Amino acid sequence: MEVSRPLRLRCSVQNYEWGKLGEDSRVARLFSRNSGAEIDPERPYAEFWMGTHESGPSFLVRAESGSPDSEPVTLRKWILENPDVLGEKVVERWGGELPFLFKVLSVAKALSIQAHPDKELAGMLHKMRPSIYKDPNQKPEMAIALTDFKALCGFVSIEELKDVLAGVPEIVELVGDEDASKVMNTTEQGGYVEVKPILQSIFTKLMSANKEAVSEIVSKLKCRLNAENKIRNLTEKEQLVLLLEQQYPADVGVISAFFFNYMKLSPGEALYIGANEPHAYISGDCIECMATSDNVVRAGLTPKYRDVQTLCSMLTYKQGSPEILRGTPLNHYVSRYTPPFDEFEVDLCSLSPQESVVFPAIPGPSIFVVVAGEGRMQMGSAIDEEMVMEGHVYFVPAHSEIGLTAGAAAPLQLYRAGVNNRVL
């Protein structure tokens, strides 16, 4: 078969309990349009996966070989049989594997406080606990807000941490006066080398505290904030802490939220998260792209397995607010989000009715997902075109030029994930 033609994909959904329910979930609507499956109004639809990871594979819509009844072919299997579709540089670097995983998330309640291991730690964890850490890969990631999107990400600055310890007596009660006063006595000039061991010590004590102590402290914190709410306006972080307590009662993650930057993204804004950086998505819908891995080390806000010692020892303990990306315009219709990771970049394409754009051929593979509207996709020659609509997902091989035209009725919006162009 001709390799350069884009392939339509049927993709997987994950029904994690933090997802939005039924029709309220952007993920559910995309999945239903992508697969023809009916939406169950009682069920959470959390993540829509596009790529080759075996925990949520994508399948070719047309079995490119054999009869319609033949076994569906996964994208991973097809790429392994046709590695040329990745382009030479990608094969050289990553073998026959697609290096990125593309997702849409619909978040109703907070995800766990977590971090993703670097390559070396991932290999070690996979060897030690393959049932929990299912692959040996690192997992840097980037989230682009589709709606207002809230997240905790990275540690607050030393000055903000001092304010936290001065204003949240419950934390000092849990970690002890000695560590708290060490933080109070550090200066900005002391820098990362001085602050890191103190922050690591205090955070590890907090996350390792026994359940009874945590339960009592969270309860105290809740009572104090509810009482103070009657006489003053609570800060955004305090309001968040009360929300987290409703979602995860008596969980250490409720208190640890004070240690992290509270990020509120507007649609079109993005943040990226490197290896060994703590984060937790709180609410909203986003496009997410990451290296092809599902390794997560969790320590709070979760009913799942917690690996507190691994998390506390792996974190970088860098402080300060994460960088927000707003996309760099490539032309009138396309903006590019480029994180500092080789595995991926993401383009956002917005076309008004009947407008057209061309994605030039590049030496690496792409995955396109249509999130709104409908239109036509031209593949190579003007005669070879296909209708595209919301929920359609395509794998586009390396060296393929793609033209897109929005329909007459509504704008067409889609996202493209590809290998970071600095590698190509």
Side-chain angles (χ1 to χ4, degrees):
M1 81 171 252
E2 189 189 343
V3 159
S4 61
R5 189 183 167 80
L7 296 173
R8 199 157 138 223
L9 302 177
R10 179 166 55 77
C11 302
S12 292
V13 75
Q14 306 288 2
N15 303 97
Y16 307 138
E17 50 93 37
W18 49 258
K20 292 184 183 177
L21 292 180
E23 287 279 353
D24 284 345
S25 170
R26 182 77 167 260
V27 164
R29 301 194 302 270
L30 284 173
F31 174 66
S32 172
R33 291 194 163 136
N34 175 269
S35 65
E38 279 191 29
I39 298 173
D40 178 345
E42 305 297 311
R43 223 170 164 205
Y45 291 83
E47 299 191 358
F48 181 59
W49 284 28
M50 302 164 279
T52 54
H53 199 285
E54 287 175 349
S55 300
S58 296
F59 298 88
L60 308 194
V61 165
R62 287 180 295 276
E64 297 291 344
S65 53
S67 71
D69 306 325
S70 59
E71 194 64 21
V73 177
T74 65
L75 177 61
R76 182 165 190 269
K77 180 174 188 284
W78 185 81
I79 288 174
L80 287 170
E81 289 167 3
N82 301 279
D84 291 356
V85 298
L86 297 177
E88 273 174 39
K89 287 190 173 162
V90 173
V91 172
E92 243 167 60
R93 174 81 184 268
W94 289 286
E97 299 286 350
L98 188 68
F100 59 85
L101 176 59
F102 205 18
K103 297 182 181 180
V104 183
L105 271 60
S106 287
V107 181
K109 70 183 243 190
L111 279 68
S112 54
I113 289 171
Q114 58 185 249
H116 306 299
D118 58 28
K119 187 80 175 142
E120 190 182 348
L121 179 60
M124 221 161 65
L125 293 172
H126 178 58
K127 220 176 243 172
M128 282 160 49
R129 298 196 195 100
S131 61
I132 294 163
Y133 303 110
K134 294 191 165 75
D135 57 71
N137 295 328
Q138 59 183 359
K139 190 190 172 190
E141 61 190 24
M142 174 170 68
I144 305 169
L146 287 167
T147 62
D148 289 339
F149 191 78
K150 295 176 180 171
L152 293 169
C153 186
F155 287 98
V156 296
S157 68
I158 190 71
E159 291 311 313
E160 208 173 320
L161 185 58
K162 287 180 182 181
D163 292 344
V164 165
L165 294 177
V168 188
E170 294 82 2
I171 292 178
V172 180
E173 197 178 323
L174 205 53
V175 300
D177 287 326
E178 191 186 336
D179 271 357
S181 62
K182 276 185 194 163
V183 172
M184 297 314 254
N185 293 326
T186 55
T187 60
E188 290 279 6
Q189 287 69 44
Y192 178 62
V193 177
E194 184 191 335
V195 176
K196 182 189 169 181
I198 302 168
L199 179 56
Q200 181 163 358
S201 167
I202 206 167
F203 185 70
T204 305
K205 271 186 190 162
L206 174 70
M207 299 308 285
S208 314
N210 71 58
K211 269 186 169 170
E212 290 68 33
V214 168
S215 181
E216 189 184 321
I217 289 291
V218 171
S219 176
K220 258 189 196 176
L221 174 65
K222 179 186 171 184
C223 290
R224 177 175 67 81
L225 290 180
N226 282 328
E228 290 188 14
N229 196 20
K230 292 173 181 151
I231 51 173
R232 68 174 175 92
N233 290 330
L234 295 183
T235 65
E236 288 186 328
K237 185 70 81 63
E238 287 170 334
Q239 291 170 31
L240 170 66
V241 161
L242 287 177
L243 171 74
L244 294 176
E245 192 280 330
Q246 284 172 9
Q247 295 178 356
Y248 299 95
D251 191 302
V252 70
V254 174
I255 315 173
S256 71
F258 282 111
F259 281 72
F260 304 124
N261 298 294
Y262 185 21
M263 308 297 293
K264 294 174 289 299
L265 301 183
S266 300
E269 293 183 330
L271 57 83
Y272 59 83
I273 299 154
N276 304 327
E277 296 294 350
H279 59 283
Y281 296 158
I282 305 295
S283 64
D285 294 352
C286 74
I287 292 281
E288 195 181 37
C289 199
M290 63 201 60
T292 301
S293 168
D294 198 28
N295 282 326
V296 182
V297 182
R298 298 179 179 86
L301 305 180
T302 181
K304 293 180 182 174
Y305 174 75
R306 296 170 183 230
D307 198 343
V308 174
Q309 288 323 112
T310 300
L311 184 93
C312 292
S313 63
M314 73 191 262
L315 297 178
T316 65
Y317 294 96
K318 283 184 195 144
Q319 291 178 284
S321 229
E323 182 187 4
I324 292 191
L325 301 179
R326 291 184 174 83
T328 305
L330 298 186
N331 55 47
H332 188 54
Y333 308 110
V334 180
S335 287
R336 175 163 293 169
Y337 297 83
T338 310
F341 314 126
D342 288 351
E343 289 91 344
F344 60 88
E345 64 187 16
V346 175
D347 292 344
L348 160 59
C349 173
S350 299
L351 293 172
S352 296
Q354 296 184 311
E355 286 184 332
S356 298
V357 72
V358 172
F359 280 85
I362 52 171
S366 302
I367 288 180
F368 285 74
V369 56
V370 181
V371 295
E374 56 184 50
R376 299 187 314 280
M377 180 189 272
Q378 294 84 29
M379 312 168 197
S381 70
I383 0 167
D384 189 7
E385 66 172 33
E386 190 168 314
M387 281 295 293
V388 296
M389 57 190 70
E390 185 180 338
H392 279 194
V393 178
Y394 289 87
F395 174 81
V396 177
H399 309 293
S400 308
E401 182 181 281
I402 294 295
L404 287 158
T405 305
L412 178 67
Q413 190 174 56
L414 57 96
Y415 287 83
R416 178 197 77 91
V419 175
N420 193 314
N421 65 88
R422 71 184 186 187
V423 175
L424 306 175

